[in-house]
Amino acid sequence: MGLSHRTMTFSNPVYIQSSGTAVGPKEGAGPLAGSFDYRYTDIYCDEKSWEMAERALMKQAIKQCLTKNHLSIDSVDLFVAGDLSNQTTASSFVARDLQLPYIGTYSACATSVETLIISGVWVSSGLADLVLAAASSHYGACEKQFRYPTEFAVQKPETAQTTVTGAGAVLLGKKRTEIQLTEATIGRVQDLGITDPMSLGAAMAPAAAEVTIGHLHKTNQQVSDFDLIVTGDLAISGSEIYRKLLREQGIYITGRYEDCGVMMYHSEQQVLAGGSGAGCSASVVYGHIYHRLLAGELKRVLVVATGALLSSMTVLQKQSIPAIAHAIVLERRS
Amino acid sequence: MGLSHRTMTFSNPVYIQSSGTAVGPKEGAGPLAGSFDYRYTDIYCDEKSWEMAERALMKQAIKQCLTKNHLSIDSVDLFVAGDLSNQTTASSFVARDLQLPYIGTYSACATSVETLIISGVWVSSGLADLVLAAASSHYGACEKQFRYPTEFAVQKPETAQTTVTGAGAVLLGKKRTEIQLTEATIGRVQDLGITDPMSLGAAMAPAAAEVTIGHLHKTNQQVSDFDLIVTGDLAISGSEIYRKLLREQGIYITGRYEDCGVMMYHSEQQVLAGGSGAGCSASVVYGHIYHRLLAGELKRVLVVATGALLSSMTVLQKQSIPAIAHAIVLERRS
């Protein structure tokens, strides 16, 4: 591995062996519906609570991922996962059920790419043959934990986002496949002093811009070296700030940029600025984006997952909202 | 690196460059007082809230760690940290202040060793020259979050533990020093159905036993190959169960075993079964144990950090308590 410090290239190749996604009813009625492996028709996912539903989503995504590869769980060496629940219990309870060696991670909605980076390093350095990475979020569990009981029907501003009910899992290994992880940059926490938890896109955009600029600079690449730059969950308002911050540095992404949170829903689905949550980038990247890479429609994609590092307690204590973004490059072998 | 899958040896050597610890007043009045670099006399650590106090503890531990090495924060390539607060905000806010590339982790009180393993892999595989690993916990912040307002003065059973107010940080690098990380084993989540959050030692002991047995077996070693096996925070009741589980497998540790949670306090300090928290193993291992290694009193230590993967929500929903333990070997070069 080269380019030491926060930007890295995986010199021993790391390939995506397969991926799996599972989403809730709202996501399953959105424009990406056909790209998900499993769509629950009920937000409880046949479980008794939203928290248990989130575990069911993650397990379903993992099941879909392994089934496509005709692999049993025993073939996997390591499970790297994270989610938004307090003490990341969704991931930990899934790890208990899988009985795999487990590394728990947290970087809010940037967790998807954090798990990819750690898993990629494990495979590339020969520490594991097959690593399973997963991330999830659940609308009900998140609203309850971070905001207000949904029954309050609190009015939200246009900049507020809607937590995605969804999970994504991906199996990484050294066996040659069509899609490879090639480069990554670990983010630095950015905090421009935003305190409004209804404007997470604005809090996260500077972190996304910082890691994007850092990655392009360190690897000596241009926007035109990528077919697509895709952010995790900046949503409509955050995406505009991200574009602006890049533009100020002379970086223009128009025509090559999408945001998973924007892509997830139809505009008439009443999701305000768009989707968010650790399951947002995981389900969109491991579903829709991965399929476009497999189809050859995209060759090189820079995925920039974005996370707001707040808690209910930091909001109550009137702290500003730090944010982080991690970047990874997915490439189709030509 | 060899012994692929969950047990690993660091074939490119990884050394502890320095360590730093900071604790609260109760810990600073305990038997290990002299081993800590910084002892706050006030549990608020000169901050306005317990949550901010926890950040101060972690930053103080990091400051102590870097100062000993005459290093500035800019020399560090990566920060790997975790804690018990919801959404690990203690670590994230410290990461914001440090402005280092940041990997957020969570495995409850096993976080200290999880951060050591990830940091060790980064150094060993050449991805970073210097990695800073840290973990923390704070009595007040934890009681408020997981249990009851301390003002309730709820009576607790003898098996309950006392969260350590403390933090530990360690700087890993490839520069040869006297103390080396040599082996590690990543834990599997264990859950024997315990539902009582006042008996976390009992919930964690099976995870500690599983990873201890797994490590000894995979590396073909005996208890006598180590001068000490030290668990993170099983405390008195959990330690007994751990000994028993090992004994049932023909493994006898008497005379070579200690627990950080037991060591932390005097028996008259009213801590019930002993200390716990992500800051417990971090402050004891990076303080007391590290000093004994440096002094040559210990040559090889197997550190088994133990974490209970519950949240207030899983307890309210009457779920059992899964637990994980990760193991790492610290060795003094002869």
Side-chain angles (χ1 to χ4, degrees):
Chain A
M1 279 163 276
L3 294 169
S4 90
H5 314 315
R6 73 169 183 148
T7 298
M8 64 188 82
T9 55
F10 298 101
S11 49
N12 292 316
V14 181
Y15 298 98
I16 296 184
Q17 307 295 309
S18 61
S19 76
T21 53
V23 296
K26 192 160 194 160
E27 295 70 23
L32 305 182
S35 70
F36 302 117
D37 295 312
Y38 198 95
R39 299 188 294 273
Y40 285 94
T41 51
D42 169 25
I43 196 167
Y44 279 90
C45 307
D46 311 320
E47 296 288 343
K48 287 187 298 184
S49 70
W50 288 330
E51 291 75 18
M52 291 174 77
E54 185 169 350
R55 300 177 210 161
L57 276 165
M58 193 187 272
K59 286 206 268 190
Q60 185 63 251
I62 290 167
K63 182 181 167 190
Q64 297 292 330
C65 177
L66 295 177
T67 303
K68 284 183 212 164
N69 234 308
H70 310 291
L71 282 173
S72 77
I73 195 71
D74 307 332
S75 329
V76 178
D77 296 315
L78 180 66
F79 179 51
V80 184
D83 62 89
L84 300 176
S85 62
N86 293 345
Q87 288 71 52
T88 67
T89 48
S91 303
S92 297
F93 277 71
V94 170
R96 174 193 68 182
D97 294 348
L98 298 180
Q99 279 299 295
L100 289 175
Y102 167 53
I103 290 181
T105 64
Y106 187 77
S107 50
C109 312
T111 297
S112 58
V113 171
E114 182 184 330
T115 64
L116 277 182
I117 293 175
I118 294 174
S119 303
V121 166
W122 244 256
V123 170
S124 186
S125 57
L127 283 169
D129 294 328
L130 285 173
V131 181
L132 186 63
S136 66
S137 52
H138 187 285
Y139 174 80
C142 251
E143 285 292 313
K144 183 164 104 180
Q145 178 179 279
F146 284 111
R147 302 187 182 97
Y148 299 95
T150 48
E151 294 80 356
F152 278 21
V154 170
Q155 285 211 350
K156 293 178 179 176
E158 285 295 312
T159 53
Q161 296 176 231
T162 300
T163 304
V164 165
T165 299
V170 71
L171 189 67
L172 300 182
K174 56 189 177 181
K175 196 183 87 184
R176 206 175 159 97
T177 69
E178 287 169 304
I179 315 295
Q180 191 175 349
L181 301 192
T182 52
E183 305 161 0
T185 295
I186 298 167
R188 278 196 187 91
V189 177
Q190 304 294 308
D191 184 346
L192 269 62
I194 286 169
T195 53
D196 178 8
M198 296 291 180
S199 291
L200 296 183
M204 296 189 289
E210 194 274 338
V211 82
T212 304
I213 294 164
H215 189 84
L216 293 176
H217 181 76
K218 186 82 180 179
T219 58
N220 201 20
Q221 293 180 101
Q222 314 291 323
V223 171
S224 58
D225 290 314
F226 298 94
D227 300 310
L228 183 67
I229 295 174
V230 61
T231 48
D233 56 353
L234 295 178
I236 294 170
S237 43
S239 293
E240 274 313 304
I241 301 169
Y242 174 64
R243 284 169 188 272
K244 178 172 170 286
L245 292 169
L246 293 181
R247 206 161 50 227
E248 287 171 3
Q249 302 297 318
I251 297 169
Y252 299 90
I253 55 175
T254 305
R256 291 177 193 265
Y257 171 60
E258 294 181 41
D259 177 74
C260 298
V262 175
M263 296 156 82
M264 181 59 100
Y265 302 107
H266 291 298
S267 54
E268 66 271 23
Q269 280 185 295
Q270 298 197 321
V271 293
L272 300 164
S276 66
C280 179
S281 56
S283 61
V284 173
V285 172
Y286 304 158
H288 178 68
I289 301 290
Y290 178 65
H291 297 156
R292 285 167 71 186
L293 281 158
L294 278 179
E297 190 194 322
L298 300 169
K299 303 274 190 192
R300 294 188 85 235
V301 177
L302 179 67
V303 181
V304 180
T306 43
L309 300 167
L310 77 171
S311 74
S312 305
M313 185 61 70
T314 64
V315 173
L316 283 172
Q317 295 184 344
K318 302 190 194 309
Q319 306 276 305
S320 57
I321 301 170
I324 195 162
H326 301 298
I328 202 154
V329 177
L330 304 183
E331 256 181 83
R332 189 195 154 83
R333 291 197 301 113
S334 47
Chain B
M1 279 161 277
L3 294 171
S4 88
H5 314 317
R6 72 168 183 150
T7 298
M8 63 188 82
T9 55
F10 298 101
S11 48
N12 292 316
V14 180
Y15 298 98
I16 295 184
Q17 308 295 309
S18 61
S19 75
T21 52
V23 296
K26 192 160 194 159
E27 295 70 24
L32 305 182
S35 70
F36 302 117
D37 295 312
Y38 197 95
R39 297 188 295 274
Y40 285 93
T41 51
D42 168 24
I43 196 167
Y44 279 91
C45 307
D46 312 321
E47 296 289 343
K48 287 187 299 184
S49 70
W50 288 329
E51 291 75 18
M52 290 173 77
E54 184 169 350
R55 300 177 211 162
L57 278 165
M58 194 188 272
K59 285 206 269 192
Q60 185 62 252
I62 290 167
K63 183 182 167 190
Q64 298 292 330
C65 177
L66 295 177
T67 303
K68 285 183 212 166
N69 234 309
H70 309 291
L71 282 173
S72 76
I73 194 71
D74 307 332
S75 330
V76 179
D77 296 316
L78 180 65
F79 179 51
V80 183
D83 63 88
L84 300 177
S85 63
N86 293 345
Q87 288 70 55
T88 68
T89 48
S91 304
S92 297
F93 277 72
V94 170
R96 174 194 67 182
D97 295 348
L98 299 179
Q99 279 299 295
L100 289 174
Y102 167 53
I103 289 182
T105 63
Y106 187 77
S107 49
C109 312
T111 297
S112 59
V113 171
E114 183 184 329
T115 64
L116 278 183
I117 293 175
I118 294 173
S119 302
V121 166
W122 244 258
V123 171
S124 186
S125 57
L127 282 170
D129 294 329
L130 285 174
V131 181
L132 186 63
S136 66
S137 53
H138 187 286
Y139 174 79
C142 251
E143 284 293 313
K144 183 165 105 179
Q145 178 179 279
F146 284 110
R147 299 185 184 100
Y148 299 95
T150 47
E151 294 80 357
F152 278 20
V154 169
Q155 286 210 350
K156 293 178 179 177
E158 285 296 312
T159 54
Q161 295 175 231
T162 300
T163 303
V164 164
T165 298
V170 71
L171 189 66
L172 300 182
K174 56 190 176 179
K175 196 183 85 183
R176 207 175 158 100
T177 69
E178 286 169 307
I179 315 295
Q180 192 175 349
L181 302 192
T182 52
E183 306 162 1
T185 295
I186 298 166
R188 279 197 187 90
V189 178
Q190 305 293 309
D191 185 346
L192 268 61
I194 286 169
T195 54
D196 178 8
M198 296 291 179
S199 293
L200 294 183
M204 295 189 291
E210 194 275 338
V211 83
T212 305
I213 294 164
H215 189 83
L216 294 176
H217 180 76
K218 186 80 179 182
T219 57
N220 201 19
Q221 292 179 105
Q222 314 290 323
V223 171
S224 57
D225 290 315
F226 298 94
D227 300 309
L228 183 67
I229 295 175
V230 60
T231 48
D233 56 354
L234 295 178
I236 294 169
S237 44
S239 293
E240 275 313 306
I241 301 170
Y242 174 65
R243 284 169 189 273
K244 178 171 170 287
L245 292 169
L246 292 182
R247 207 160 51 226
E248 286 170 1
Q249 301 297 316
I251 297 169
Y252 299 89
I253 56 175
T254 304
R256 290 178 193 265
Y257 171 59
E258 295 180 42
D259 178 75
C260 299
V262 174
M263 296 156 82
M264 180 60 98
Y265 301 107
H266 291 298
S267 54
E268 65 272 23
Q269 281 187 294
Q270 298 196 323
V271 293
L272 299 166
S276 66
C280 180
S281 55
S283 61
V284 174
V285 172
Y286 303 159
H288 178 69
I289 301 290
Y290 178 65
H291 297 156
R292 285 167 71 187
L293 280 157
L294 278 179
E297 188 193 324
L298 298 171
K299 302 274 189 192
R300 294 190 86 233
V301 178
L302 179 67
V303 180
V304 180
T306 43
L309 301 167
L310 78 171
S311 74
S312 304
M313 185 60 70
T314 64
V315 173
L316 283 172
Q317 294 184 346
K318 303 189 194 309
Q319 306 277 306
S320 57
I321 301 170
I324 196 162
H326 300 300
I328 202 153
V329 177
L330 304 183
E331 258 180 81
R332 189 194 155 83
R333 290 197 304 112
S334 46

